[in-house]
Amino acid sequence: FFCGLLMKKQNLFFSVLFILSSVVSATGRMRALNVDSSFKNDSRGSVGRHRRKIGGPAIDSPTHESFLDGTNENDDSMEAGVVSRVRGGGASLVTTAGARSPMVDDMLRRAKVGFYFALWYALNIVYNIVNKKVLNVWAAPMTVATLQLGIGAAYATLLWNLNLRSRPVLEPAGKAAIQKVGLWHAIGQLCTVLSLGAGPVSFTHIVKALEPFFSAVVSAVYLGKWMKLPVYATLLPVVGGVGYACLKERSFSWLAFGFAMCSNLAFALRAVLSKVAMTVAKGQQPLGTNLTPPNVFALVTIGAFVLSFPLALLGEGKILASSWAEATQKQSAGQLTQSVLLSGLFHYLNNEVMYLALGSVHPVTLAVGNTMKRVFIMVASVMVFRNEISFQAALGSAVGISGVLLYSLTKQYYEKKEAESNS
């Protein structure tokens, strides 16, 4: 249905992206069914009765610290973890008859990872561009942000209703956790779109490079978790680079800067609260079943939509009709509706593919990829919208983003050393 709406010449690229990401999103479910089938056919398939759902680590797994902050304490990929758990139970997914050579397997794995990253980058870039074009026409950023959450929620519900993904079931403790995390997810999404509406895409992403700084501060204050001094030292180029880039920047906007900073704080609190709420200690009540990371993100998206809806009505309800009438004078109602639909789909699908990338690579690789993603978004936005960036802004951005990468690598280095010493 969606592809039928989008299949026009001018939207062929968007249609191909949507089809590819939909197919990729289904691979996790297909792989889970294949693994479950292997368990049932194996005479020693006791591992198949393990309480965790195969096809992605459960949120209460000690190796998956948080489903929203992009961290994973496990040195192996999610797929490798599945294979190791199957082997541990006596079942083996690898047969000697007709097995591929290690070189072919390595090439296929690299090709898969490259495809995930390319699709992740493409979806993220397209989302930022389409979203900014919508905001340039329709001056209702809170409404646009809420609609994007609603489109993502509808897409996830459609997958469950079509049995393309196992439907999650929440216990009372799980519902409370989803509400807490969903609140900050809603605030972060609203603030991000408000910032993108108030200034250039490149400027917003320069400021959002400060996310690691906020995460470090919130973790220290809220959790009392202090990191090694060299880790904090790597935040100096992040703060300094972003500050230098914003200083005397031609496109500087206090409104865009303020909402981007609020977004950083909201997403940092979301990440910390997800660690607290989603980590189930032994003996405590479980949060629910089928709570794989993509399913939990879908639930959080639904919760964020429910919470952001009244906020959007309160903030823009009075001007909604007039702003839509003004927007349809610049662009047809059909084209504008289609653009909003695309922005919501790509916002959600970009996170879906990110989880697949996270499950296929080491966290260090993901940190490098996430850093480069921000660079690609900034370059693409400059090329599309022709926003001028001064040499000072470019230099400061390069220093700040390099600092983000250095922070991620240093943080994971000390976490690995700590894990080795504890073991």
Side-chain angles (χ1 to χ4, degrees), residues 101 143 170 185 319 354 402:
S101 66
T143 303
L170 286 174
H185 184 60
I319 64 167
M354 182 195 71
S402 300

Side-chain angles (χ1 to χ4, degrees), residues 134-209:
V134 169
L135 295 174
N136 285 343
V137 175
W138 190 14
M142 295 182 71
T143 303
V144 171
T146 302
L147 288 174
Q148 289 171 356
L149 291 172
I151 292 166
Y155 176 77
T157 305
L158 181 65
L159 291 181
W160 293 331
N161 290 337
L162 295 177
N163 292 323
L164 295 175
R165 180 172 297 159
S166 299
R167 186 184 297 272
V169 178
L170 286 174
E171 301 293 340
K175 293 178 181 179
I178 291 295
Q179 289 175 356
K180 292 178 183 178
V181 180
L183 172 64
W184 292 109
H185 184 60
I187 294 174
Q189 167 71 357
L190 289 172
C191 290
T192 298
V193 177
L194 283 165
S195 177
L196 290 168
V201 174
S202 56
F203 177 77
T204 296
H205 281 278
I206 290 173
V207 180
K208 283 183 70 63

Side-chain angles (χ1 to χ4, degrees), residues 24-42:
V24 169
S25 295
T27 57
R29 173 63 179 159
M30 292 170 64
R31 187 171 59 198
L33 291 174
N34 290 334
V35 174
D36 287 342
S37 177
S38 299
F39 288 158
K40 292 176 182 177
N41 294 332
D42 193 286

Side-chain angles (χ1 to χ4, degrees), residues 271-284:
V272 170
L273 286 176
S274 69
K275 291 180 182 180
V276 175
M278 299 298 169
T279 301
V280 180
K282 292 182 179 180
Q284 289 185 343

Side-chain angles (χ1 to χ4, degrees), residues 7-27:
M7 272 298 181
K8 298 179 181 178
K9 288 184 178 180
Q10 64 268 30
N11 291 321
L12 181 60
F13 175 68
F14 293 158
S15 302
V16 171
L17 272 184
F18 177 72
I19 294 169
L20 285 175
S21 55
S22 299
V23 171
V24 169
S25 295
T27 57

Side-chain angles (χ1 to χ4, degrees), residues 30-107:
M30 292 170 64
R31 187 171 59 198
L33 291 174
N34 290 334
V35 174
D36 287 342
S37 177
S38 299
F39 288 158
K40 292 176 182 177
N41 294 332
D42 193 286
S43 60
R44 295 172 297 173
S46 59
V47 176
R49 293 186 292 272
H50 194 277
R51 68 184 181 86
R52 287 187 298 179
K53 182 72 176 177
I54 302 299
I59 57 171
D60 56 345
S61 170
T63 62
H64 195 81
E65 183 175 331
S66 172
F67 62 94
L68 288 173
D69 63 347
T71 60
N72 190 332
E73 297 284 343
N74 192 2
D75 288 342
D76 299 323
S77 69
M78 289 163 70
E79 188 169 302
V82 171
V83 174
S84 66
R85 288 194 291 273
V86 175
R87 287 176 178 166
S92 175
L93 298 181
V94 182
T95 60
T96 55
R100 291 191 299 262
S101 66
M103 181 179 297
V104 174
D105 287 339
D106 183 64
M107 291 176 61

